[in-house]
Amino acid sequence: MIRRTFKLAWFKRSRYSLTIIAIALSVAFIVSTLLLTTSIADVGQPLNDAYEGVDVVVQGPSITAGDGPVAGIKAPVAPSVVDALTNAGFEAVGFTSSYAQILDPGGNAAGQDQASSNVAEPWLGDSPLNGYEISTGAAPAGPGEAAIDSTTADAAGLEIGSIIRYVTDNGLQEAELVGIATFGGADNDPYTSTLLLDQDDPVFVPTQGFSYVLVADGTETATVEGIAELTPNAEVLSGSDWIAEQIDLLNSFTGFFSTFLTVFAVIAVVVGMVIVTNTFTVSLAQRTEELALLRLVGTTRRQLMAQVVLEALFLGLAGTAVGVVVGLLGVNVLGWFLDILGLSIERSNAISTIAIAIGVLVGVGVTVVAAVWPAWKATEVAPIEALRSAELEPPSASRKRLMAGAAALAIGAACLVYGMVQTDILVTGIGIGGAFLALYLGADTMIRIAARLVRPLLARAGPTGTVASRNLERNAGRTSAAASALMIGVSLIGFFTLMAATIGQFIAGDSADALRVDYVVQGIGSQPEPALNDQTLSALRSSDGVDEVVPLYLTSVTSTNALEVERVGPGGGSLGVAVTEVEALRAAYDFTVNDGSLDDVAGTLVVVDQALSDSMTLAVGDTLEVTAIAGSIELEVAAIVETTLPGAPQPAIIGSLDLGTALGYNSPATVAYILGDADEAALTQAVGLPTIDVLTLDDYISSLSSNLDTILALVYALLAVAVIIALVGIANTVSLAISERLGEIAAIRAAGASSRQIFWSLISEFTILALVGVVSGLGLAWVAATAFFRALSEGQINSAQTDIATGLLIIVAGLLGGAAASWLPARNASKADILDVLRAD
Amino acid sequence: MSSAGSRKVETETPSSGATSEHVASLVGASKVFGEGDAVVRALDDVTIGFRRGQFTAVMGPSGSGKSTLMYCQSGLDRLSSGQAFVGDVDVSTLSDQELSVLRRSKLGFIFQSFHLVPALSAHENITLPVDLDSGAEVDEDFLAELAEVLGIANRLENRPSQLSGGQRQRVAVARAMIPRPDVIFADEPTGALDSKTSGELLTYLRQAVDELGQTIVMVTHDAVAASHCDRVVYVQDGRLVGEAQQPTVDDVLNKIRELS
Ligand SMILES: Nc1ncnc2c1ncn2[C@@H]1O[C@H](COP(=O)(O)OP(=O)(O)O)[C@@H](O)[C@H]1O
Ligand SMILES: [Mg+2]
């Protein structure tokens, strides 16, 4: 039994090899995307080891507003708390985030990635609270000595014994590098580049208090209850709860990528399932005939099903095995690509068994189901009837399929409309899914219609053209799979291209055009830290040719009715605030005032943008309650402007410098606008810090979307993989479809058709198939992008940025892709020896 | 032509190249399959010509090389050595494109398993060779006449899957006839048909030769089928081993018994 199955499989190996490749590619795509997703989610793991010794953590109370606590904002812990705990016999240390950017030997910022924070931390020696361990060299033993984490040391090429330089809020500093440290067994604290300094270093002097205090057993045993008694005004939680909170925070930071990769993994699973299913439906007639013949010679149904299952298992296992191996390699390639892009998403090396299990499930499970289902149906009827049905033309569009498609369309459309009106992202997502399903199910009907439309055109090419259009119609049910594969590929590309254009327009659009400055100075990296202290600002002011320096202090507040104002980008519920010299800013930025007057801005009288005014129905004179580190504050709208300053997240509120004081903001400025005929090199020299960039206006504007560009590069890389898989799927479907038809081709050839006529007839047939896939894919992309953006931007973006030229380019590329995928099978079939087929009968 | 085999049998040897009375001919034709120990001489130095307006049966046991002879003669397959002429054209010198044109304009084929195009109606299947030629026009009168004689006039709009075996083979015959080819090659055309249907088909082929002067070369192992022909040639192990004019069924059966 098993022998015979293998023999049959071997006989059909050329037919199977592409199928196995298609399964393998799909599985590899699924496994590598899922592995990447889980390894990113797993990156917080070192925290568990690093802070194993932390028993209790003391944090400031959550700031409350309205009905409950505001997530993420905590009051600082007074320095006296640490003293009190130490005196009570506990081991306690206070932490506050201190900015420290390490420089490499060339004087450039080391380890500067968009994802990393650059901090200084006190070296805690043998204390169980110390998350770090020295792996080489010694610990910093006093002022002027420093250790750094192993990742930063490697990246910057810094060696023990050398003098390293770093920039803090106090300016450029120096220390001797005495040791290299690891964090919880890992090379670094996730997403952090750490400088370990002596505890007494001036950088650690707390101004407002500590962000949190870590506590361990000293002479007394630290319990949550015990510590809570000693610190009545604070929030006290166990070490393990705190670690879990930190890991959650890390994951929310990479949440965007995780979500994004998860979406891709789902896409991978869908693409994989579609392709594997295609492989079997397209050769249905051949299989039905084969099965019917075996039944004719007396094979029982049970024997037959066993054989089919074995055969499918063999195919599925072979493809899956190859796919898992390729997927394991592929995740490294993806990771390497992320590094090249400078995305440096940190990953753990753990291999998720779930990721592999899902890959195996799709590879083997879908293969078996896709193979067994038609076999089951074919063996349900009498053998002769099965034989006849294999020969007969398949019925026009299956009624069930059409009904299911119509239902999916109705539900999808309803969800899309609801999602767009209510700007509900989840319902919109369901709507997009419904639209996809409708197109997938309706593909054969669309192909039939297309075939009918092009029939007169094809008929002009003679009988081979007629055959092409007839076959399109006849085999639509089977070959629609190829169109669907292409549809998925094109809709993905279309969607993300539209996304890029739309977000790009949104980020750098109108608001950047209103900027009237000559230079913009800000910290390096794509998410600049507030790095412009007073010293730097005055150096800029006294630089040659500088007329005006407008510093922007960027912070954020939480709105009391946060849920109503969820905006684009991370930190939903929070509103960006720019605190500045409003009078000076008016020269640097060309405000379009829709209502009120900028003259009135002072204290808690602020400017808001039209979008905020719309979403919260704010008019001039209305008040708005917000919460910042200093507590709740009532702001009053003095003016409404069309757009506010560029940058992400865009500040929705602009206020005077005294607003900063009221909000409790006391960090350096993040951005400075420079007006005047100054020299770039002179400005750079005046700043004198490698951690700060001087950008011309043009450079600044293009830097606004560079973040997006990097992400898009990743998107396109993943897309390329998805599209290649889709193309292999198409090639497989096409070659199987053609192999079903070799007899017919031989008959036409014997009647005198040249191989060129056959070739072009096949190509035109599959190009029309591709056209259906490409056009429906593009349509889906447009609908999805429009609905998606409306929902995501709370109605701020009402339609996707459309560009006819790009659309045409995608159509042409899709058609070429489809033609390329069918080129080889069509060529082989048209060149095939007629006699091979005639003799076979 | 030095081989003993070809001298022993009296064949109509074409002089150098082909004479005008031969529509198709093989000269010193050999076809070898495989290599080394597994080598099969499917055709072994065969020289034969087919005259215009003649109905020839090629007979022989299974595996004797009948189909190979027909395929090589018609240019569907290439000879290992020797020449195959259609008219005065050596088919081995033709490109794929030229062979295609030759098939659609000068040759007709009828196969045991019909080989109709399932996507096309009977009518479209019949006109296929003419339609493939962008310059040519279908002679609708001739087609109507063919359909009438073959008894498929009322089935022309049906697809092959809706026709019986006998009807399919008549469509195939009409398709072979429609371009008024120089020669029709039929490989066991009655092999898949019952005796009554076979008889009708053979009668029709006979009629085409007698009334239209059609040249037909028919591979068969059926003595009854051969008895409809003007001439029968016997093939064994890739060689011509005998030939007769106006054979009767008994003649053929005797010859076959003698050969085996
Ligand atoms: N493609 C091929 N490859 C190998 N051997 C072949 C091939 N075609 C035919 N033969 C061999 O050539 C011989 C003649 O075959 P064929 O002409 O089909 O015989 P017939 O039509 O008289 O039954 C047989 O021995 C057959 O096995
Ligand atoms: Mg034969």
Side-chain angles (χ1 to χ4, degrees):
Chain A
M1 168 83 214
I2 292 180
R3 250 234 339 264
R4 196 184 60 190
T5 306
F6 271 100
K7 261 191 182 158
L8 268 173
W10 178 247
F11 180 66
K12 291 185 272 188
R13 64 193 177 281
S14 65
R15 184 137 62 88
Y16 279 158
S17 54
L18 250 184
T19 302
I20 291 181
I21 293 176
I23 296 173
L25 277 176
S26 306
V27 171
F29 189 37
I30 293 170
V31 167
S32 55
T33 358
L34 281 176
L35 276 181
L36 190 65
T37 312
T38 49
S39 73
I40 286 176
D42 217 27
V43 74
Q45 220 44 48
L47 269 74
N48 288 316
D49 289 340
Y51 293 123
E52 209 179 2
V54 176
D55 296 313
V56 177
V57 177
V58 182
Q59 292 179 321
S62 286
I63 289 177
T64 53
D67 294 338
V70 177
I73 304 186
K74 298 234 156 64
V77 185
S80 60
V81 169
V82 178
D83 298 334
L85 290 172
T86 311
N87 292 338
F90 298 106
E91 179 100 32
V93 61
F95 275 89
T96 190
S97 98
S98 326
Y99 168 69
Q101 170 68 60
I102 301 165
L103 305 183
D104 67 16
N108 299 312
Q112 178 64 45
D113 306 305
Q114 55 181 323
S116 53
S117 56
N118 300 279
V119 299
E121 284 194 19
W123 174 254
L124 301 178
D126 290 339
S127 163
L129 299 174
N130 190 352
Y132 287 90
E133 253 173 58
I134 296 295
S135 59
T136 1
E145 290 192 357
I148 59 176
D149 67 75
S150 169
T151 305
T152 309
D154 285 347
L158 293 169
E159 277 167 21
I160 290 178
S162 62
I163 297 297
I164 60 167
R165 293 188 301 157
Y166 56 95
V167 179
T168 67
D169 287 349
N170 302 331
L172 192 60
Q173 320 282 333
E174 273 186 8
E176 186 191 349
L177 181 61
V178 294
I180 307 291
T182 55
F183 177 82
D187 284 344
N188 61 300
D189 186 357
Y191 296 106
T192 311
S193 180
T194 311
L195 178 73
L196 293 160
L197 297 172
D198 187 74
Q199 293 192 59
D200 298 328
D201 196 281
V203 78
F204 299 125
V205 174
T207 46
Q208 290 182 321
F210 298 112
S211 308
Y212 50 85
V213 176
L214 301 184
V215 187
D217 299 345
T219 50
E220 300 288 325
T221 306
T223 62
V224 172
E225 294 75 25
I227 304 290
E229 259 170 47
L230 286 170
T231 56
N233 287 324
E235 237 171 50
V236 180
L237 67 169
S238 73
S240 53
D241 286 350
W242 178 75
I243 291 171
E245 233 176 54
Q246 297 299 303
I247 291 179
D248 278 353
L249 209 65
L250 269 179
N251 288 344
S252 76
F253 175 63
T254 53
F256 172 73
F257 285 97
S258 294
T259 312
F260 177 77
L261 284 170
T262 310
V263 167
F264 255 97
V266 170
I267 290 172
V269 172
V270 171
V271 170
M273 281 169 51
V274 167
I275 285 176
V276 173
T277 314
N278 287 358
T279 311
F280 289 95
T281 50
V282 76
S283 49
L284 195 63
Q286 221 168 51
R287 291 179 60 81
T288 307
E289 191 180 333
E290 194 180 296
L291 293 173
L293 284 174
L294 285 170
R295 288 258 282 151
L296 275 178
V297 300
T299 317
T300 68
R301 193 170 180 197
R302 177 190 291 233
Q303 283 172 319
L304 215 53
M305 290 313 293
Q307 184 197 320
V308 169
V309 170
L310 262 175
E311 194 180 318
L313 268 179
F314 161 74
L315 277 181
L317 283 174
T320 304
V322 176
V324 167
V325 172
V326 174
L328 287 172
L329 298 174
V331 69
N332 290 314
V333 175
L334 276 178
W336 169 79
F337 191 74
L338 287 175
D339 290 344
I340 290 201
L341 290 177
L343 268 174
S344 78
I345 297 297
E346 295 199 13
R347 307 177 296 279
S348 76
N349 291 323
I351 286 173
S352 149
T353 42
I354 292 183
I356 295 178
I358 292 179
V360 172
L361 199 71
V362 173
V364 181
V366 175
T367 304
V368 170
V369 171
V372 167
W373 176 244
W376 183 256
K377 291 191 81 171
T379 53
E380 239 170 10
V381 295
I384 284 297
E385 196 178 321
L387 258 185
R388 212 178 296 135
S389 79
E391 187 184 341
L392 276 176
E393 298 171 21
S396 56
S398 133
R399 190 163 279 271
K400 268 190 220 155
R401 193 177 158 135
L402 209 58
M403 301 270 276
L409 188 66
I411 294 171
C415 287
L416 278 176
V417 169
Y418 177 88
M420 283 172 75
V421 172
Q422 296 292 317
T423 62
D424 184 323
I425 190 80
L426 188 69
V427 177
T428 305
I430 295 175
I432 295 173
F436 166 77
L437 203 62
L439 286 177
Y440 179 71
L441 292 171
D444 60 335
T445 305
M446 290 189 288
I447 290 169
R448 283 194 183 90
I449 294 171
R452 235 161 274 172
L453 288 177
V454 296
R455 197 193 284 163
L457 195 73
L458 283 177
R460 279 206 217 155
T464 46
T466 307
V467 170
S469 74
R470 294 269 170 78
N471 277 329
L472 264 178
E473 258 185 82
R474 269 164 24 105
N475 299 325
R478 287 181 232 148
T479 47
S480 66
S484 301
L486 200 60
M487 177 186 81
I488 295 176
V490 168
S491 62
L492 288 175
I493 292 202
F495 178 80
F496 286 105
T497 307
L498 285 169
M499 180 185 96
T502 309
I503 297 185
Q505 176 64 30
F506 188 66
I507 288 179
D510 307 340
S511 74
D513 292 344
L515 212 50
R516 299 280 174 267
V517 304
D518 296 292
Y519 296 98
V520 176
V521 178
Q522 63 179 14
I524 53 173
S526 43
Q527 281 170 355
E529 312 233 13
L532 310 174
N533 60 18
D534 291 346
Q535 197 186 334
T536 307
L537 291 174
S538 60
L540 283 168
R541 284 200 174 95
S542 54
S543 207
D544 266 356
V546 171
D547 296 332
E548 186 75 77
V549 174
V550 189
L552 296 178
Y553 298 86
L554 299 180
T555 178
S556 65
V557 294
T558 308
S559 164
T560 309
N561 26 14
L563 290 178
E564 277 175 37
V565 292
E566 222 169 293
R567 313 245 320 198
V568 183
S574 77
L575 294 171
V577 178
V579 169
T580 183
E581 293 155 10
V582 178
E583 211 29 61
L585 179 65
R586 289 170 73 172
Y589 189 79
D590 197 3
F591 282 107
T592 307
V593 182
N594 289 348
D595 200 5
S597 167
L598 293 174
D599 295 337
D600 300 338
V601 178
T604 54
L605 281 160
V606 297
V607 184
V608 301
D609 68 351
Q610 189 63 50
L612 182 63
S613 147
D614 288 345
S615 61
M616 292 186 70
T617 54
L618 288 173
V620 169
D622 284 354
T623 57
L624 160 73
E625 198 191 349
V626 298
T627 308
I629 197 134
S632 262
I633 291 184
E634 195 149 280
L635 305 178
E636 188 183 333
V637 178
I640 297 170
V641 294
E642 186 60 35
T643 57
T644 71
L645 310 174
Q650 274 192 305
I653 299 171
I654 299 175
S656 61
L657 287 178
D658 18 328
L659 177 66
T661 321
L663 295 174
Y665 184 80
N666 63 351
S667 295
T670 305
V671 179
Y673 292 151
I674 313 284
L675 289 92
D677 190 16
D679 178 45
E680 192 177 346
L683 289 174
T684 308
Q685 178 136 35
V687 171
L689 287 174
T691 50
I692 293 171
D693 267 346
V694 176
L695 301 168
T696 63
L697 181 59
D698 287 345
D699 287 348
Y700 174 67
I701 289 176
S702 58
S703 81
L704 289 175
S705 55
S706 72
N707 229 341
L708 181 72
D709 293 345
T710 326
I711 292 171
L712 281 177
L714 172 68
V715 171
Y716 284 126
L718 287 169
L719 276 182
V721 178
V723 168
I724 288 172
I725 293 175
L727 287 180
V728 170
I730 295 166
N732 187 29
T733 310
V734 169
S735 68
L736 287 173
I738 288 178
S739 83
E740 290 258 288
R741 228 187 278 156
L742 287 176
E744 173 190 285
I745 292 170
I748 305 179
R749 291 271 282 141
S754 64
S755 60
R756 202 184 313 149
Q757 282 171 311
I758 298 288
F759 176 76
W760 284 112
S761 134
L762 289 172
I763 286 290
S764 57
E765 181 181 339
F766 288 104
T767 304
I768 289 158
L769 211 64
L771 190 68
V772 171
V774 168
V775 170
S776 55
L778 210 57
L780 179 66
W782 191 82
V783 170
T786 302
F788 183 74
F789 283 121
R790 242 199 83 88
L792 201 67
S793 71
E794 296 280 312
Q796 287 184 61
I797 302 176
N798 281 315
S799 82
Q801 193 72 22
T802 33
D803 175 359
I804 305 283
T806 315
L808 285 177
L809 196 73
I810 293 178
I811 290 185
V812 171
L815 288 182
L816 286 180
S822 44
W823 197 271
L824 261 185
R827 219 185 69 113
N828 288 343
S830 65
K831 288 263 155 77
D833 193 347
I834 309 171
L835 283 178
D836 279 350
V837 181
L838 298 183
R839 281 203 191 100
D841 274 318
Chain B
M1 267 173 281
S2 52
S3 137
S6 68
R7 212 174 285 137
K8 202 163 63 191
V9 190
E10 204 193 0
T11 56
E12 299 176 61
T13 311
S15 49
S16 68
T19 62
S20 56
E21 67 206 281
H22 289 134
V23 200
S25 54
L26 289 170
V27 179
S30 293
K31 176 71 180 177
V32 181
F33 290 111
E35 277 171 35
D37 287 348
V39 73
V40 177
R41 296 200 150 265
L43 275 190
D44 192 357
D45 192 18
V46 171
T47 297
I48 189 173
F50 301 100
R51 230 177 250 174
R52 188 173 300 280
Q54 198 177 40
F55 192 177
T56 309
V58 179
M59 288 211 70
S62 183
S64 57
K66 307 182 294 292
S67 295
T68 308
L69 184 152
M70 186 199 113
Y71 293 153
C72 289
Q73 173 67 81
S74 62
L76 282 176
D77 206 351
R78 299 221 183 257
L79 286 169
S80 305
S81 65
Q83 289 165 299
F85 291 94
V86 170
D88 50 7
V89 179
D90 182 352
V91 296
S92 63
T93 62
L94 299 182
S95 68
D96 178 78
Q97 175 73 27
E98 289 163 335
L99 279 172
S100 301
V101 174
L102 179 79
R103 282 200 296 276
R104 69 169 85 122
S105 55
K106 297 249 164 80
L107 307 178
F109 290 94
I110 305 168
F111 301 99
Q112 179 175 359
S113 44
F114 323 135
H115 288 302
L116 299 180
V117 181
L120 300 177
S121 68
H123 187 278
E124 288 165 328
N125 263 289
I126 295 171
T127 60
L128 184 60
V130 185
D131 289 339
L132 282 168
D133 220 331
S134 50
E137 279 287 329
V138 176
D139 183 343
E140 289 291 347
D141 292 342
F142 183 41
L143 193 155
E145 193 189 321
L146 283 174
E148 195 58 47
V149 173
L150 287 162
I152 49 171
N154 58 346
R155 306 311 304 267
L156 287 179
E157 293 318 312
N158 291 85
R159 296 277 175 90
S161 59
Q162 297 161 326
L163 301 177
S164 73
Q167 288 169 330
R168 289 186 206 188
Q169 196 61 305
R170 287 163 208 228
V171 171
V173 170
R175 180 176 66 184
M177 298 280 301
I178 197 76
R180 298 178 194 275
D182 290 353
V183 52
I184 290 176
F185 293 102
D187 192 356
E188 315 225 11
T190 58
L193 305 178
D194 61 70
S195 58
K196 179 169 172 282
T197 321
S198 298
E200 288 167 5
L201 193 86
L202 289 164
T203 310
Y204 178 71
L205 291 179
R206 183 69 248 172
Q207 207 177 324
V209 173
D210 294 341
E211 293 174 12
L212 302 170
Q214 182 64 59
T215 313
I216 300 178
V217 177
M218 176 175 71
V219 169
T220 183
H221 56 239
D222 175 7
V224 178
S227 70
H228 284 75
C229 299
D230 302 318
R231 167 192 182 209
V232 57
V233 294
Y234 299 96
V235 183
Q236 192 168 34
D237 296 332
R239 300 176 197 210
L240 295 183
V241 290
E243 125 152 56
Q245 307 290 330
Q246 312 302 338
T248 64
V249 177
D250 287 341
D251 291 347
V252 175
L253 288 175
N254 286 335
K255 180 69 179 175
I256 290 174
R257 229 167 278 132
E258 182 188 315
L259 286 176
S260 57

